[in-house]
Amino acid sequence: MEWRERLKGLLEPYGEVIETEKGLIFEFGDDEGDFSDRLAFIIEKPEEWPLVEAAVKAIADLTDHDVPGRNVFAFGFEPDFGGTLIRLRFFDGRPGEGPVIGDVPEKVIKIAERNGIKYQRGDGEGIGLPKDFTENDLEALIKLVEAVAFEL
């Protein structure tokens, strides 16, 4: 699969990439104590490259900071994980109105509002982009992923 090699190359500067039969996993978190499962972002269709791009940009920023617990980005499958799972996906939505927030814990909406991230609501599980997204929508999604990783 072409996306695996391309994605591994993008993620390797930020840490170890774990390859499984189902897909790739990138973990980050607290190096000094709390190793409990905290948060997993899941991209089940990594061939939907803009979502992968958003995840990689968020990872680049997140790995420079201490984030509590075990946090995972899973590409290509849903891992066995005891914490909160948030899917990154495409939604029916309006371009230019920000990322789409579907069915997620209420805290995610509060985090978006607290961080001044313009968003729209959508049907389905997770957070993501409208199918015809703008560059501003993509940048706002990156900001949302980072904020959720820090604050959830």
Side-chain angles (χ1 to χ4, degrees), residues 30 53 74:
D30 186 355
E53 180 183 337

Side-chain angles (χ1 to χ4, degrees), residues 20-114:
T20 73
E21 286 183 20
K22 297 178 181 178
L24 300 177
I25 295 176
F26 184 88
E27 295 183 12
F28 66 97
D30 186 355
D31 294 333
E32 300 178 9
D34 183 7
F35 299 106
S36 61
D37 287 354
R38 181 173 163 272
L39 177 63
F41 290 100
I42 302 164
I43 301 175
E44 290 178 309
K45 297 179 181 177
E47 56 277 1
E48 296 177 337
W49 198 254
L51 298 171
V52 171
E53 180 183 337
V56 170
K57 287 182 178 181
I59 288 168
D61 290 340
L62 291 168
T63 55
D64 289 339
H65 304 283
D66 283 334
V67 179
R70 177 176 173 249
N71 303 276
V72 169
F73 281 83
F75 302 90
F77 70 107
E78 181 179 317
D80 184 23
F81 193 80
T84 301
L85 300 172
I86 298 179
R87 295 184 194 298
L88 293 176
R89 55 178 286 243
F90 282 107
F91 289 85
D92 290 326
R94 297 170 310 282
E97 296 290 319
V100 181
I101 298 178
D103 297 331
V104 292
E106 186 67 27
K107 286 176 138 182
V108 173
I109 295 165
K110 299 226 183 287
I111 290 168
E113 291 171 351
R114 190 170 42 249

